[in-house]
Amino acid sequence: MRQIVRITVLLLMCSVACSVQAQDAKKAIREHYAAVKERLKMYDELNKTGDIYPVPQMYSVVVKQNLPATGYHEETIQMVYREETKSDEQIYADLYLDFATKKYNFAAREFYEEYLYDKQGRIQFIYALESDFGDVFQREYRFYFSQGKLIDVNVKSRANDGEAFKDVYSGKSVPEEYNSYYQRRMSSAKSIVSIFKTIDASREL
């Protein structure tokens, strides 16, 4: 009996510790996300004034093509980076992917995604918005990660553009009905890192 009590107490302590760690991780993610958004806001303001300094720290990739059945397709990826130098003698700073946005369409359907990366290059947060034809139905996904591992999932939806989003799922894992979508976003998170590294390695310095 005492052994059962000990195990129960340990399990409860473990559960509480994991919950606290997850909350701390989400707080850090939100702070990082807010800081990046503030940088993007500054870049937008500079773009309006025509100033070139400070230079926006980002790479942009645009794909335009005509797809079978759905017609015109445009995909834009913006990758925001941070600079780090390892020594005072280093002339050009090393660049690391910090945040990325991805916007694309299939016919009238519009998609928008955001990817936040930690200092080790691991995915930290994914936001994704998918729309049905004519924005009749929309769904929002939020995936939170700590040290590259999924810790929290939130899915919201609304029937019509303009209405408030409502929670349809919150939990620590991805339900089967959303798993294929989640796996595609994870694949996209990795491919964006690959694109960033390819562009970074091709810079003329």
Side-chain angles (χ1 to χ4, degrees), residues 136-153:
V136 174
F137 175 83
Q138 291 184 316
R139 184 177 286 131
E140 282 187 332
Y141 300 85
R142 289 175 176 83
F143 304 104
Y144 298 84
F145 303 82
S146 177
Q147 299 182 357
K149 295 182 180 180
L150 184 68
I151 59 170
D152 202 21
V153 180

Side-chain angles (χ1 to χ4, degrees), residues 106-158:
F106 289 103
R109 297 185 68 190
E110 298 284 344
F111 298 83
Y112 176 75
E113 298 158 13
E114 296 179 342
Y115 299 86
L116 187 70
Y117 299 86
D118 66 17
K119 288 188 176 182
Q120 286 71 44
R122 300 169 299 200
I123 191 63
Q124 192 176 35
F125 173 68
I126 297 174
Y127 167 81
L129 172 66
E130 64 170 344
S131 301
D132 205 338
F133 289 102
D135 291 334
V136 174
F137 175 83
Q138 291 184 316
R139 184 177 286 131
E140 282 187 332
Y141 300 85
R142 289 175 176 83
F143 304 104
Y144 298 84
F145 303 82
S146 177
Q147 299 182 357
K149 295 182 180 180
L150 184 68
I151 59 170
D152 202 21
V153 180
N154 179 251
V155 182
K156 296 182 179 182
S157 68
R158 64 182 179 187

Side-chain angles (χ1 to χ4, degrees), residues 17-174:
C18 288
S19 178
V20 170
Q21 288 176 354
Q23 290 304 315
D24 289 345
K26 287 181 71 174
K27 181 182 177 182
I29 289 168
R30 291 188 176 113
E31 289 174 351
H32 183 190
Y33 181 85
V36 172
K37 283 292 188 175
E38 193 61 32
R39 284 173 59 195
L40 291 174
K41 183 180 177 182
M42 180 187 70
Y43 294 159
D44 287 340
E45 292 301 318
L46 289 172
N47 187 52
K48 291 175 185 177
T49 61
D51 292 336
I52 61 172
Y53 293 104
V55 177
Q57 296 178 311
M58 66 171 62
Y59 294 151
S60 296
V61 175
V62 179
V63 177
K64 297 182 181 182
Q65 60 187 135
N66 190 48
L67 297 178
T70 58
Y72 180 73
H73 174 79
E74 182 170 328
E75 188 169 334
T76 302
I77 301 174
Q78 288 192 323
M79 294 160 280
V80 180
Y81 60 82
R82 66 181 189 282
E83 296 182 330
E84 290 184 17
T85 53
K86 296 181 174 65
S87 69
D88 294 336
E89 291 76 27
Q90 186 174 350
I91 299 174
Y92 297 109
D94 296 323
L95 308 185
Y96 298 91
L97 181 60
D98 200 22
F99 178 75
T101 63
K102 185 175 182 180
K103 184 178 180 181
Y104 55 99
N105 76 289
F106 289 103
R109 297 185 68 190
E110 298 284 344
F111 298 83
Y112 176 75
E113 298 158 13
E114 296 179 342
Y115 299 86
L116 187 70
Y117 299 86
D118 66 17
K119 288 188 176 182
Q120 286 71 44
R122 300 169 299 200
I123 191 63
Q124 192 176 35
F125 173 68
I126 297 174
Y127 167 81
L129 172 66
E130 64 170 344
S131 301
D132 205 338
F133 289 102
D135 291 334
V136 174
F137 175 83
Q138 291 184 316
R139 184 177 286 131
E140 282 187 332
Y141 300 85
R142 289 175 176 83
F143 304 104
Y144 298 84
F145 303 82
S146 177
Q147 299 182 357
K149 295 182 180 180
L150 184 68
I151 59 170
D152 202 21
V153 180
N154 179 251
V155 182
K156 296 182 179 182
S157 68
R158 64 182 179 187
N160 293 286
D161 188 14
E163 292 184 357
F165 280 95
K166 297 179 180 179
D167 283 314
V168 294
Y169 175 79
S170 288
K172 306 300 180 186
S173 60
V174 181

